[in-house]
Amino acid sequence: MARSAIAAPYPLTREWAFGDGSGAGVRVCILDSGVDATHPDVGGPLAAYQVAEADGSGGYTVVPDADGDVAGHGTACASIVRALAPACEMTSVRVLGGALRGRGDALIAALEWALDEGFDIVNMSLSTRHPDFRDAIRDLSDRAYFGGTTIVAAANNRPVASYPWRFPAVISVGSHATQDGEHIEVNPAPPVEFFALGINVLAAQPGNRRVRLSGNSFAAPHVTGMCARILNRHPGFGAPQLKAVLAGIANNLT
């Protein structure tokens, strides 16, 4: 996907945007494969939940989770957020299994729960291609946008239609290879809105390990961490303001 320098609409400084840069007081929800809270790169208190089938109802409910990360994907994302916003308040909701697969209706239940809980940011390094779930996820994305919760969603690694990253109500993220976690670029040719480090990213894995990973999944939490830092300084901002600030401090502005 082509990227180029674009003109800044108004000069913004990162000092103005970030405050102390800690993300303190900002509540971040990681919808993923779970998180290994014992890893030193995740650190700090972490509330853990999972989506489970509701007894006899055919639906899903969100319950406490004691299994941690079943695939490593969520721990990687959480460690990236923590590296950028070390003092944010983090919650994990496990929606993916060991093969990084899950049900679309379980994802909808998890996202609805996250909105009911009033998280400031929901990191979704996942998407669904199933058309049966598109409208429900779009409605929840709109609800988040107007309700003060910002969804940061990874673009699909392949040129396919999947959701929620293609919805304008979310902050959509693709990858660049610049080895700087704070380097962000704004895309003059959406639907992907921003690019962040997603190639050869050093990230945590269960069992106190670290590995190099690549994919848009690992670019999105860089933007989530940046958003947490902005909200630490500007707690009233929602998705519209965060999009504007991210664009205003992008490294490819001229």
Side-chain angles (χ1 to χ4, degrees):
M1 190 173 294
R3 294 181 282 119
S4 61
I6 63 175
Y10 184 82
L12 298 179
T13 67
R14 294 197 171 205
E15 181 180 2
W16 174 87
F18 289 154
D20 66 8
S22 71
V26 180
R27 300 174 64 230
V28 177
C29 182
I30 309 288
L31 297 188
D32 215 288
S33 64
V35 173
D36 179 3
T38 68
H39 198 292
D41 292 354
V42 175
L46 182 138
Y49 297 88
Q50 64 171 314
V51 178
E53 292 188 42
D55 293 339
S57 69
Y60 289 86
T61 186
V62 176
V63 299
D65 179 27
D67 292 338
D69 192 347
V70 298
H73 195 267
T75 298
C77 293
S79 71
I80 293 167
V81 174
R82 188 68 80 192
L84 286 165
C88 73
E89 300 173 20
M90 193 176 294
T91 296
S92 164
V93 180
R94 179 160 57 86
V95 297
L96 299 176
L100 291 181
R101 300 182 70 86
R103 292 186 57 87
D105 42 6
L107 174 61
I108 290 169
L111 182 54
E112 187 169 21
W113 179 86
L115 298 187
D116 289 343
E117 291 293 310
F119 286 100
D120 298 303
I121 308 171
V122 178
N123 188 89
M124 297 183 67
S125 290
L126 47 81
S127 64
T128 179
R129 296 175 58 186
H130 203 301
D132 287 354
F133 305 116
R134 178 186 57 205
D135 290 348
I137 293 176
R138 179 175 56 203
D139 289 347
L140 288 172
S141 299
D142 288 346
R143 176 183 159 193
Y145 184 89
F146 293 111
T149 294
T150 297
I151 297 173
V152 178
N156 199 294
N157 290 321
R158 295 178 293 170
V160 298
S162 63
Y163 315 100
W165 74 270
R166 290 187 67 90
F167 297 141
V170 311
I171 296 177
S172 57
V173 187
S175 299
H176 65 59
T178 302
Q179 294 299 302
D180 178 354
E182 296 186 4
H183 183 100
I184 186 170
E185 299 185 10
V186 60
N187 186 10
V192 175
E193 295 174 292
F194 298 98
F195 297 97
L197 175 59
I199 307 298
N200 203 28
V201 180
L202 183 63
Q205 290 288 276
N208 243 15
R209 297 181 301 120
R210 298 181 182 91
V211 297
R212 294 280 178 181
L213 298 166
S214 295
N216 294 337
S217 286
F218 312 110
H222 282 96
V223 172
T224 291
M226 299 278 267
C227 287
R229 295 169 75 166
I230 296 168
L231 287 176
N232 172 223
R233 176 66 176 84
H234 306 281
F237 281 6
Q241 293 80 20
L242 288 172
K243 287 174 185 261
V245 174
L246 289 170
I249 62 174
N251 292 87
N252 62 326
L253 295 180
T254 59

Short mmCIF file of all heavy atoms in Angstrom, two decimals, residues 193-252:
data_model
loop_
_atom_site.label_atom_id
_atom_site.label_comp_id
_atom_site.label_asym_id
_atom_site.label_seq_id
_atom_site.Cartn_x
_atom_site.Cartn_y
_atom_site.Cartn_z
N GLU A 193 -5.90 3.88 7.99
CA GLU A 193 -5.68 5.28 8.34
C GLU A 193 -4.26 5.57 8.79
O GLU A 193 -3.72 6.65 8.51
CB GLU A 193 -6.65 5.69 9.45
CG GLU A 193 -8.10 5.66 9.05
CD GLU A 193 -9.01 5.93 10.21
OE1 GLU A 193 -9.08 5.08 11.13
OE2 GLU A 193 -9.64 7.00 10.23
N PHE A 194 -3.64 4.62 9.52
CA PHE A 194 -2.32 4.86 10.09
C PHE A 194 -1.43 3.64 9.91
O PHE A 194 -1.91 2.51 9.80
CB PHE A 194 -2.44 5.20 11.59
CG PHE A 194 -3.22 6.45 11.86
CD1 PHE A 194 -4.56 6.38 12.22
CD2 PHE A 194 -2.63 7.69 11.74
CE1 PHE A 194 -5.29 7.54 12.46
CE2 PHE A 194 -3.36 8.85 11.97
CZ PHE A 194 -4.69 8.78 12.33
N PHE A 195 -0.13 3.89 9.89
CA PHE A 195 0.87 2.83 9.88
C PHE A 195 1.74 2.96 11.10
O PHE A 195 2.17 4.08 11.46
CB PHE A 195 1.72 2.91 8.61
CG PHE A 195 0.95 2.71 7.34
CD1 PHE A 195 0.50 3.80 6.61
CD2 PHE A 195 0.67 1.43 6.88
CE1 PHE A 195 -0.21 3.62 5.44
CE2 PHE A 195 -0.05 1.25 5.70
CZ PHE A 195 -0.49 2.34 4.98
N ALA A 196 2.02 1.83 11.75
CA ALA A 196 2.89 1.80 12.91
C ALA A 196 3.81 0.59 12.77
O ALA A 196 3.65 -0.25 11.87
CB ALA A 196 2.08 1.72 14.20
N LEU A 197 4.78 0.48 13.66
CA LEU A 197 5.74 -0.61 13.60
C LEU A 197 5.03 -1.96 13.70
O LEU A 197 4.37 -2.25 14.71
CB LEU A 197 6.77 -0.47 14.72
CG LEU A 197 7.77 -1.62 14.87
CD1 LEU A 197 8.58 -1.81 13.59
CD2 LEU A 197 8.68 -1.37 16.06
N GLY A 198 5.16 -2.77 12.65
CA GLY A 198 4.55 -4.09 12.66
C GLY A 198 5.41 -5.15 12.01
O GLY A 198 4.96 -6.28 11.81
N ILE A 199 6.65 -4.81 11.68
CA ILE A 199 7.56 -5.74 11.02
C ILE A 199 8.75 -5.99 11.94
O ILE A 199 9.41 -5.05 12.40
CB ILE A 199 8.06 -5.18 9.67
CG1 ILE A 199 6.88 -4.75 8.79
CG2 ILE A 199 8.93 -6.21 8.96
CD1 ILE A 199 5.94 -5.85 8.41
N ASN A 200 9.01 -7.26 12.22
CA ASN A 200 10.15 -7.65 13.05
C ASN A 200 10.09 -6.99 14.43
O ASN A 200 11.07 -6.43 14.93
CB ASN A 200 11.46 -7.29 12.35
CG ASN A 200 12.63 -8.11 12.85
OD1 ASN A 200 12.47 -9.24 13.30
ND2 ASN A 200 13.82 -7.55 12.77
N VAL A 201 8.92 -7.09 15.04
CA VAL A 201 8.67 -6.47 16.35
C VAL A 201 9.10 -7.44 17.46
O VAL A 201 8.68 -8.60 17.47
CB VAL A 201 7.19 -6.12 16.52
CG1 VAL A 201 6.94 -5.47 17.88
CG2 VAL A 201 6.71 -5.22 15.39
N LEU A 202 9.90 -6.97 18.39
CA LEU A 202 10.26 -7.78 19.55
C LEU A 202 9.13 -7.69 20.57
O LEU A 202 8.81 -6.60 21.05
CB LEU A 202 11.57 -7.29 20.17
CG LEU A 202 12.09 -8.10 21.36
CD1 LEU A 202 12.43 -9.53 20.94
CD2 LEU A 202 13.31 -7.42 21.97
N ALA A 203 8.50 -8.82 20.88
CA ALA A 203 7.32 -8.82 21.74
C ALA A 203 7.36 -10.02 22.68
O ALA A 203 8.04 -11.02 22.42
CB ALA A 203 6.05 -8.84 20.91
N ALA A 204 6.61 -9.92 23.77
CA ALA A 204 6.59 -10.95 24.80
C ALA A 204 5.78 -12.16 24.34
O ALA A 204 4.86 -12.07 23.53
CB ALA A 204 5.98 -10.39 26.08
N GLN A 205 6.14 -13.31 24.92
CA GLN A 205 5.43 -14.56 24.73
C GLN A 205 5.31 -15.27 26.07
O GLN A 205 6.14 -15.06 26.96
CB GLN A 205 6.15 -15.46 23.73
CG GLN A 205 6.10 -14.96 22.30
CD GLN A 205 4.73 -15.11 21.68
OE1 GLN A 205 4.37 -16.16 21.17
NE2 GLN A 205 3.94 -14.04 21.72
N PRO A 206 4.28 -16.09 26.26
CA PRO A 206 4.15 -16.83 27.52
C PRO A 206 5.42 -17.64 27.81
O PRO A 206 6.14 -18.05 26.90
CB PRO A 206 2.95 -17.75 27.26
CG PRO A 206 2.15 -17.03 26.23
CD PRO A 206 3.15 -16.35 25.35
N GLY A 207 5.67 -17.85 29.10
CA GLY A 207 6.86 -18.58 29.51
C GLY A 207 8.09 -17.70 29.58
O GLY A 207 9.22 -18.19 29.42
N ASN A 208 7.88 -16.39 29.78
CA ASN A 208 8.99 -15.45 29.95
C ASN A 208 9.86 -15.32 28.70
O ASN A 208 11.04 -14.99 28.78
CB ASN A 208 9.88 -15.85 31.13
CG ASN A 208 9.88 -14.81 32.22
OD1 ASN A 208 9.03 -13.92 32.25
ND2 ASN A 208 10.81 -14.92 33.14
N ARG A 209 9.27 -15.58 27.53
CA ARG A 209 10.03 -15.51 26.29
C ARG A 209 9.75 -14.20 25.56
O ARG A 209 8.78 -13.50 25.82
CB ARG A 209 9.67 -16.69 25.37
CG ARG A 209 10.03 -18.05 25.94
CD ARG A 209 9.65 -19.17 24.96
NE ARG A 209 8.22 -19.16 24.65
CZ ARG A 209 7.71 -19.02 23.43
NH1 ARG A 209 8.50 -18.82 22.38
NH2 ARG A 209 6.39 -19.06 23.24
N ARG A 210 10.64 -13.89 24.60
CA ARG A 210 10.44 -12.81 23.66
C ARG A 210 10.79 -13.31 22.26
O ARG A 210 11.76 -14.05 22.11
CB ARG A 210 11.31 -11.59 24.00
CG ARG A 210 11.01 -10.96 25.35
CD ARG A 210 11.90 -9.75 25.59
NE ARG A 210 11.65 -9.15 26.90
CZ ARG A 210 12.30 -9.48 28.00
NH1 ARG A 210 13.23 -10.42 27.96
NH2 ARG A 210 12.02 -8.88 29.14
N VAL A 211 10.00 -12.90 21.28
CA VAL A 211 10.25 -13.33 19.90
C VAL A 211 10.04 -12.13 18.97
O VAL A 211 9.44 -11.12 19.36
CB VAL A 211 9.32 -14.49 19.47
CG1 VAL A 211 9.57 -15.73 20.31
CG2 VAL A 211 7.86 -14.07 19.55
N ARG A 212 10.55 -12.28 17.75
CA ARG A 212 10.32 -11.28 16.71
C ARG A 212 9.08 -11.68 15.91
O ARG A 212 8.99 -12.82 15.44
CB ARG A 212 11.53 -11.19 15.78
CG ARG A 212 12.79 -10.65 16.44
CD ARG A 212 12.75 -9.14 16.55
NE ARG A 212 13.93 -8.60 17.22
CZ ARG A 212 14.13 -7.30 17.44
NH1 ARG A 212 13.24 -6.42 17.00
NH2 ARG A 212 15.20 -6.89 18.08
N LEU A 213 8.15 -10.76 15.76
CA LEU A 213 6.88 -11.05 15.09
C LEU A 213 6.60 -9.97 14.05
O LEU A 213 7.03 -8.82 14.19
CB LEU A 213 5.75 -11.07 16.11
CG LEU A 213 5.85 -12.13 17.21
CD1 LEU A 213 4.86 -11.84 18.33
CD2 LEU A 213 5.61 -13.52 16.63
N SER A 214 5.86 -10.35 13.01
CA SER A 214 5.48 -9.40 11.97
C SER A 214 4.00 -9.55 11.64
O SER A 214 3.46 -10.66 11.64
CB SER A 214 6.31 -9.63 10.70
OG SER A 214 7.67 -9.35 10.92
N GLY A 215 3.36 -8.43 11.36
CA GLY A 215 1.95 -8.43 10.99
C GLY A 215 1.26 -7.19 11.49
O GLY A 215 1.73 -6.53 12.44
N ASN A 216 0.14 -6.87 10.88
CA ASN A 216 -0.62 -5.70 11.32
C ASN A 216 -1.13 -5.85 12.75
O ASN A 216 -1.41 -4.85 13.42
CB ASN A 216 -1.78 -5.46 10.38
CG ASN A 216 -1.33 -5.06 8.99
OD1 ASN A 216 -0.22 -4.56 8.81
ND2 ASN A 216 -2.18 -5.28 7.99
N SER A 217 -1.26 -7.10 13.21
CA SER A 217 -1.67 -7.35 14.59
C SER A 217 -0.78 -6.64 15.59
O SER A 217 -1.24 -6.23 16.66
CB SER A 217 -1.63 -8.85 14.90
OG SER A 217 -2.70 -9.53 14.29
N PHE A 218 0.50 -6.49 15.24
CA PHE A 218 1.46 -5.93 16.18
C PHE A 218 1.71 -4.44 15.92
O PHE A 218 2.36 -3.77 16.72
CB PHE A 218 2.75 -6.75 16.13
CG PHE A 218 2.45 -8.23 16.21
CD1 PHE A 218 2.62 -9.05 15.10
CD2 PHE A 218 1.90 -8.77 17.36
CE1 PHE A 218 2.27 -10.40 15.16
CE2 PHE A 218 1.55 -10.10 17.42
CZ PHE A 218 1.74 -10.93 16.33
N ALA A 219 1.16 -3.94 14.83
CA ALA A 219 1.16 -2.49 14.60
C ALA A 219 0.05 -1.82 15.41
O ALA A 219 0.25 -0.75 15.99
CB ALA A 219 0.98 -2.20 13.11
N ALA A 220 -1.13 -2.46 15.47
CA ALA A 220 -2.27 -1.86 16.17
C ALA A 220 -1.96 -1.52 17.62
O ALA A 220 -2.30 -0.42 18.09
CB ALA A 220 -3.48 -2.79 16.08
N PRO A 221 -1.33 -2.41 18.42
CA PRO A 221 -1.08 -2.04 19.82
C PRO A 221 -0.09 -0.89 19.98
O PRO A 221 -0.10 -0.22 21.02
CB PRO A 221 -0.55 -3.33 20.45
CG PRO A 221 -0.14 -4.20 19.32
CD PRO A 221 -1.01 -3.83 18.17
N HIS A 222 0.76 -0.63 18.97
CA HIS A 222 1.58 0.57 19.04
C HIS A 222 0.70 1.82 19.03
O HIS A 222 0.92 2.77 19.78
CB HIS A 222 2.57 0.62 17.87
CG HIS A 222 3.77 -0.27 18.05
ND1 HIS A 222 3.84 -1.53 17.51
CD2 HIS A 222 4.93 -0.07 18.73
CE1 HIS A 222 5.01 -2.07 17.83
NE2 HIS A 222 5.69 -1.21 18.57
N VAL A 223 -0.32 1.81 18.17
CA VAL A 223 -1.24 2.94 18.13
C VAL A 223 -2.09 2.99 19.39
O VAL A 223 -2.38 4.07 19.92
CB VAL A 223 -2.11 2.87 16.85
CG1 VAL A 223 -3.20 3.92 16.88
CG2 VAL A 223 -1.24 3.05 15.62
N THR A 224 -2.49 1.83 19.91
CA THR A 224 -3.23 1.81 21.18
C THR A 224 -2.41 2.45 22.29
O THR A 224 -2.92 3.26 23.08
CB THR A 224 -3.59 0.36 21.55
OG1 THR A 224 -4.56 -0.12 20.62
CG2 THR A 224 -4.16 0.28 22.96
N GLY A 225 -1.13 2.12 22.36
CA GLY A 225 -0.26 2.73 23.37
C GLY A 225 -0.14 4.22 23.19
O GLY A 225 -0.15 4.99 24.17
N MET A 226 -0.02 4.67 21.94
CA MET A 226 0.05 6.11 21.68
C MET A 226 -1.25 6.79 22.09
O MET A 226 -1.24 7.88 22.68
CB MET A 226 0.32 6.33 20.20
CG MET A 226 1.62 5.75 19.69
SD MET A 226 3.03 6.80 20.01
CE MET A 226 3.08 7.72 18.49
N CYS A 227 -2.39 6.16 21.80
CA CYS A 227 -3.67 6.74 22.19
C CYS A 227 -3.79 6.83 23.71
O CYS A 227 -4.34 7.82 24.24
CB CYS A 227 -4.82 5.91 21.62
SG CYS A 227 -5.05 6.10 19.83
N ALA A 228 -3.31 5.81 24.42
CA ALA A 228 -3.36 5.86 25.88
C ALA A 228 -2.54 7.03 26.41
O ALA A 228 -2.94 7.69 27.38
CB ALA A 228 -2.85 4.54 26.46
N ARG A 229 -1.42 7.31 25.79
CA ARG A 229 -0.60 8.44 26.22
C ARG A 229 -1.31 9.76 25.97
O ARG A 229 -1.26 10.69 26.78
CB ARG A 229 0.74 8.39 25.49
CG ARG A 229 1.56 7.18 25.86
CD ARG A 229 2.75 6.98 24.96
NE ARG A 229 3.82 7.93 25.27
CZ ARG A 229 5.06 7.79 24.81
NH1 ARG A 229 5.36 6.76 24.02
NH2 ARG A 229 5.98 8.67 25.11
N ILE A 230 -1.98 9.86 24.82
CA ILE A 230 -2.73 11.09 24.52
C ILE A 230 -3.88 11.27 25.51
O ILE A 230 -4.12 12.38 26.01
CB ILE A 230 -3.26 11.04 23.07
CG1 ILE A 230 -2.09 11.02 22.07
CG2 ILE A 230 -4.17 12.23 22.79
CD1 ILE A 230 -2.50 10.69 20.65
N LEU A 231 -4.59 10.18 25.83
CA LEU A 231 -5.72 10.28 26.76
C LEU A 231 -5.26 10.59 28.17
O LEU A 231 -6.01 11.19 28.95
CB LEU A 231 -6.52 8.98 26.74
CG LEU A 231 -7.37 8.74 25.50
CD1 LEU A 231 -8.04 7.38 25.56
CD2 LEU A 231 -8.42 9.83 25.34
N ASN A 232 -4.05 10.20 28.53
CA ASN A 232 -3.50 10.60 29.82
C ASN A 232 -3.40 12.11 29.91
O ASN A 232 -3.68 12.70 30.97
CB ASN A 232 -2.12 9.94 29.97
CG ASN A 232 -1.35 10.43 31.19
OD1 ASN A 232 -0.15 10.68 31.09
ND2 ASN A 232 -2.01 10.55 32.33
N ARG A 233 -3.07 12.74 28.82
CA ARG A 233 -2.93 14.21 28.79
C ARG A 233 -4.26 14.90 28.50
O ARG A 233 -4.53 15.99 29.00
CB ARG A 233 -1.91 14.58 27.71
CG ARG A 233 -1.73 16.08 27.47
CD ARG A 233 -1.13 16.77 28.67
NE ARG A 233 -0.89 18.18 28.39
CZ ARG A 233 -1.81 19.14 28.50
NH1 ARG A 233 -3.05 18.81 28.85
NH2 ARG A 233 -1.51 20.39 28.24
N HIS A 234 -5.13 14.24 27.72
CA HIS A 234 -6.39 14.83 27.29
C HIS A 234 -7.51 13.82 27.53
O HIS A 234 -8.02 13.19 26.59
CB HIS A 234 -6.33 15.21 25.81
CG HIS A 234 -5.18 16.09 25.44
ND1 HIS A 234 -5.17 17.44 25.67
CD2 HIS A 234 -3.97 15.78 24.89
CE1 HIS A 234 -4.02 17.95 25.27
NE2 HIS A 234 -3.28 16.97 24.78
N PRO A 235 -7.92 13.64 28.78
CA PRO A 235 -8.85 12.54 29.11
C PRO A 235 -10.23 12.64 28.49
O PRO A 235 -10.96 11.65 28.46
CB PRO A 235 -8.91 12.59 30.64
CG PRO A 235 -8.46 13.97 31.01
CD PRO A 235 -7.47 14.37 29.97
N GLY A 236 -10.61 13.78 27.97
CA GLY A 236 -11.93 13.90 27.37
C GLY A 236 -11.98 13.52 25.91
O GLY A 236 -13.06 13.52 25.30
N PHE A 237 -10.85 13.18 25.32
CA PHE A 237 -10.83 12.92 23.89
C PHE A 237 -11.48 11.57 23.56
O PHE A 237 -11.32 10.60 24.29
CB PHE A 237 -9.39 12.92 23.36
CG PHE A 237 -8.80 14.29 23.15
CD1 PHE A 237 -9.47 15.42 23.54
CD2 PHE A 237 -7.55 14.44 22.55
CE1 PHE A 237 -8.94 16.69 23.35
CE2 PHE A 237 -7.00 15.68 22.35
CZ PHE A 237 -7.69 16.82 22.74
N GLY A 238 -12.18 11.55 22.44
CA GLY A 238 -12.72 10.31 21.89
C GLY A 238 -12.04 9.99 20.58
O GLY A 238 -11.03 10.61 20.21
N ALA A 239 -12.59 9.06 19.84
CA ALA A 239 -11.98 8.64 18.58
C ALA A 239 -11.77 9.79 17.60
O ALA A 239 -10.71 9.86 16.96
CB ALA A 239 -12.80 7.52 17.95
N PRO A 240 -12.74 10.71 17.43
CA PRO A 240 -12.49 11.80 16.45
C PRO A 240 -11.27 12.63 16.80
O PRO A 240 -10.46 12.95 15.93
CB PRO A 240 -13.79 12.63 16.53
CG PRO A 240 -14.81 11.72 17.09
CD PRO A 240 -14.08 10.81 18.03
N GLN A 241 -11.13 12.97 18.09
CA GLN A 241 -9.99 13.78 18.50
C GLN A 241 -8.68 13.00 18.41
O GLN A 241 -7.64 13.54 18.01
CB GLN A 241 -10.19 14.31 19.92
CG GLN A 241 -11.33 15.30 20.08
CD GLN A 241 -12.69 14.65 20.16
OE1 GLN A 241 -12.81 13.46 20.47
NE2 GLN A 241 -13.74 15.42 19.91
N LEU A 242 -8.72 11.72 18.77
CA LEU A 242 -7.51 10.91 18.71
C LEU A 242 -7.03 10.75 17.27
O LEU A 242 -5.83 10.81 17.00
CB LEU A 242 -7.76 9.54 19.34
CG LEU A 242 -7.89 9.54 20.86
CD1 LEU A 242 -8.34 8.17 21.36
CD2 LEU A 242 -6.58 9.94 21.53
N LYS A 243 -7.95 10.56 16.34
CA LYS A 243 -7.56 10.48 14.94
C LYS A 243 -6.87 11.78 14.51
O LYS A 243 -5.84 11.75 13.80
CB LYS A 243 -8.80 10.25 14.06
CG LYS A 243 -9.41 8.85 14.12
CD LYS A 243 -10.71 8.81 13.32
CE LYS A 243 -11.43 7.49 13.42
NZ LYS A 243 -11.19 6.63 12.26
N ALA A 244 -7.42 12.92 14.93
CA ALA A 244 -6.85 14.20 14.54
C ALA A 244 -5.46 14.39 15.13
O ALA A 244 -4.54 14.87 14.44
CB ALA A 244 -7.78 15.34 14.96
N VAL A 245 -5.29 14.03 16.40
CA VAL A 245 -3.99 14.20 17.04
C VAL A 245 -2.96 13.26 16.43
O VAL A 245 -1.82 13.65 16.14
CB VAL A 245 -4.08 13.99 18.57
CG1 VAL A 245 -2.70 14.03 19.20
CG2 VAL A 245 -4.98 15.05 19.19
N LEU A 246 -3.32 11.99 16.22
CA LEU A 246 -2.39 11.05 15.59
C LEU A 246 -1.95 11.56 14.22
O LEU A 246 -0.77 11.47 13.86
CB LEU A 246 -3.04 9.68 15.46
CG LEU A 246 -3.26 8.90 16.76
CD1 LEU A 246 -4.14 7.67 16.49
CD2 LEU A 246 -1.95 8.47 17.40
N ALA A 247 -2.90 12.09 13.45
CA ALA A 247 -2.54 12.62 12.14
C ALA A 247 -1.64 13.85 12.28
O ALA A 247 -0.71 14.04 11.49
CB ALA A 247 -3.82 12.98 11.36
N GLY A 248 -1.91 14.66 13.31
CA GLY A 248 -1.13 15.88 13.49
C GLY A 248 0.29 15.67 13.95
O GLY A 248 1.16 16.52 13.73
N ILE A 249 0.56 14.51 14.59
CA ILE A 249 1.93 14.24 15.05
C ILE A 249 2.62 13.17 14.21
O ILE A 249 3.71 12.71 14.54
CB ILE A 249 1.94 13.80 16.53
CG1 ILE A 249 1.15 12.49 16.72
CG2 ILE A 249 1.38 14.91 17.42
CD1 ILE A 249 1.25 11.91 18.13
N ALA A 250 2.01 12.77 13.10
CA ALA A 250 2.57 11.71 12.26
C ALA A 250 3.94 12.09 11.73
O ALA A 250 4.21 13.27 11.42
CB ALA A 250 1.62 11.41 11.11
N ASN A 251 4.81 11.11 11.62
CA ASN A 251 6.19 11.35 11.21
C ASN A 251 6.34 11.64 9.72
O ASN A 251 7.39 12.11 9.28
CB ASN A 251 7.05 10.15 11.57
CG ASN A 251 7.23 9.98 13.06
OD1 ASN A 251 6.39 9.34 13.70
ND2 ASN A 251 8.27 10.55 13.64
N ASN A 252 5.31 11.35 8.92
CA ASN A 252 5.43 11.63 7.48
C ASN A 252 4.79 12.94 7.06
O ASN A 252 4.59 13.19 5.89
CB ASN A 252 4.83 10.47 6.66
CG ASN A 252 3.34 10.25 6.91
OD1 ASN A 252 2.86 10.45 8.02
ND2 ASN A 252 2.62 9.84 5.88
#
